Amino acid sequence: MSNVPVAVVTGSNKGIGFAIVRALCKQFPGDVYLTARDPGRGQKAVAKLQEEGLHAFFHQLDIDDLQSIRALRDFLKEKYGGLNVLVNNAGIAFKVHDTTPFAVQAEVTLKTNFFGTRNVCIELLPLVKPYGRVVNVSSMVSSSALGGCSRDLQQKFRSDTITEDELVELMTKFVEDTKKSVHEKEGWPNTAYGVSKIGVTVLSRIQARMLNENRKGDHILLNACCPGWVRTDMAGPQATKSPDEGAETPVYLALLPSDADGPHGQFVSNKTVRTW
Ligand code: NAP
């Protein structure tokens, strides 16, 4: 088993994830894994870094596929005895003008952004070593979508005692409500992506609380963040930040020094803790 520190970035064959891997290759003192659901796209991305003189390792990971997540888990357990840095970056968004029915957009978006990210956490968080760092890439859209929720939902999503099961129930209810076309009546905002990212931010707050309760002495720091508005296939060419600039906050959180006691359980953008 290798004692070398190891970092894993999900959805890193392109966009912000790729830029996070690039930065970690330069700054993280250990092995960096670029992961992708498609091995061809993943290997191509690794080769692109190689041309820049950077070395990333590749492992397949489709966060929609439990078998794929578990294969990565077993690999990390066997080769490294765990992991030190996990960046949950993989995500999807329908384009604004996409005509796919809203209920389908809701189901598909929540499946990857919330349930897929959660499944990665279920399998990989127990492997995170002391002083590990976990970064869940959410979005400022989670804050604006929270503002568009009913008072009752806002209260639930801001609660310091909401459980993971309760959050899962709420995310499932959103999808069901869109299918019955009652989501607005039920207090939800009209954005599947926004609700999925509320899920990611609230999940991070819960996970940080659980780490405090169950692994207090391990000094693991876990946060959600927004990378900013970044020029990628998701956000388009008008966005204000380059992918490398978008990677800055996630990388800052991934590399918080071992003597840092925060941020933890926060929503961070531009390296600054935001009020949730
Ligand atoms: P992107 O260029 O579309 O890249 C998304 C990445 O996620 C791709 O590598 C994609 O792989 C991967 N992915 C999607 N579904 C996956 C799955 N089931 N399993 C594994 N990988 C999967 O988007 P981006 O702008 O870099 O976004 C990265 C993250 O930042 C997302 O979580 C996004 O919501 C968040 N974000 C972005 C912005 C922005 O302005 N760009 C703002 C706020 C937050 P494929 O190539 O195989 O599709």
Side-chain angles (χ1 to χ4, degrees):
M1 199 184 288
S2 168
N3 256 336
V4 174
V6 58
V8 173
V9 184
T10 72
S12 46
N13 53 288
K14 67 177 185 179
I16 298 163
F18 180 73
I20 294 171
V21 169
R22 175 191 277 135
L24 289 178
C25 283
K26 293 176 186 168
Q27 297 174 55
F28 179 72
D31 293 353
V32 181
Y33 278 81
L34 183 154
T35 69
R37 53 181 161 184
D38 181 86
R41 289 198 285 276
Q43 298 285 9
K44 222 170 149 182
V46 167
K48 201 170 149 196
L49 288 172
Q50 195 92 45
E51 284 168 22
E52 298 177 18
L54 299 172
H55 182 64
F57 294 84
F58 173 72
H59 202 285
Q60 194 272 348
L61 176 65
D62 181 345
I63 71 164
D64 290 344
D65 177 359
L66 254 184
Q67 271 192 354
S68 165
I69 298 172
R70 288 179 176 155
L72 175 63
R73 176 201 64 188
D74 293 345
F75 168 80
L76 291 168
K77 224 189 226 172
E78 196 170 314
K79 177 143 193 220
Y80 298 93
L83 83 161
N84 304 82
V85 168
L86 171 64
V87 183
N88 282 302
N89 164 80
I92 58 159
F94 283 84
K95 299 286 178 217
V96 181
H97 298 297
D98 195 305
T99 54
T100 306
F102 188 64
V104 177
Q105 294 200 18
E107 182 152 43
V108 171
T109 307
L110 272 278
K111 181 183 162 146
T112 300
N113 294 4
F114 178 72
F115 291 102
T117 299
R118 174 171 179 261
N119 284 338
V120 172
C121 291
I122 288 172
E123 301 298 336
L124 296 191
L125 286 192
L127 264 65
V128 174
K129 294 184 180 182
Y131 297 94
R133 305 292 182 239
V134 181
V135 185
N136 295 329
V137 179
S138 184
S139 168
M140 286 307 272
V141 175
S142 69
S143 293
S144 50
L146 180 68
C149 288
S150 66
R151 269 171 172 273
D152 178 51
L153 280 174
Q154 287 192 33
Q155 204 174 11
K156 286 178 173 151
F157 289 133
R158 289 201 175 100
S159 158
D160 287 328
T161 53
I162 184 174
T163 64
E164 193 166 326
D165 285 348
E166 287 166 347
L167 177 63
V168 165
E169 220 171 274
L170 284 167
M171 292 292 115
T172 306
K173 181 175 186 305
F174 170 68
V175 175
E176 293 309 314
D177 286 348
T178 63
K179 286 181 186 164
K180 294 182 263 175
S181 297
V182 297
H183 62 281
E184 281 177 291
K185 198 177 120 260
E186 291 294 310
W188 296 102
N190 221 357
T191 158
Y193 179 77
V195 172
S196 76
K197 292 298 190 181
I198 290 177
V200 173
T201 302
V202 176
L203 181 67
S204 309
R205 287 160 56 89
I206 296 168
Q207 289 167 337
R209 230 173 58 217
M210 291 301 108
L211 286 169
N212 291 345
E213 283 180 22
N214 304 324
R215 297 187 62 183
K216 191 69 193 156
D218 283 349
H219 305 280
I220 295 167
L221 297 177
L222 182 154
N223 292 284
C225 71
C226 177
W229 191 30
V230 185
R231 291 186 294 276
T232 63
D233 287 349
M234 181 182 288
Q238 303 302 326
T240 45
K241 286 187 181 181
S242 69
D244 289 331
E245 289 166 338
E248 281 176 19
T249 292
V251 169
Y252 152 74
L253 292 170
L255 297 179
L256 286 169
S258 57
D259 61 354
D261 54 10
H264 177 57
Q266 302 292 339
F267 177 60
V268 179
S269 80
N270 280 332
K271 301 187 189 174
T272 307
V273 171
R274 306 291 167 184
T275 308
W276 175 247

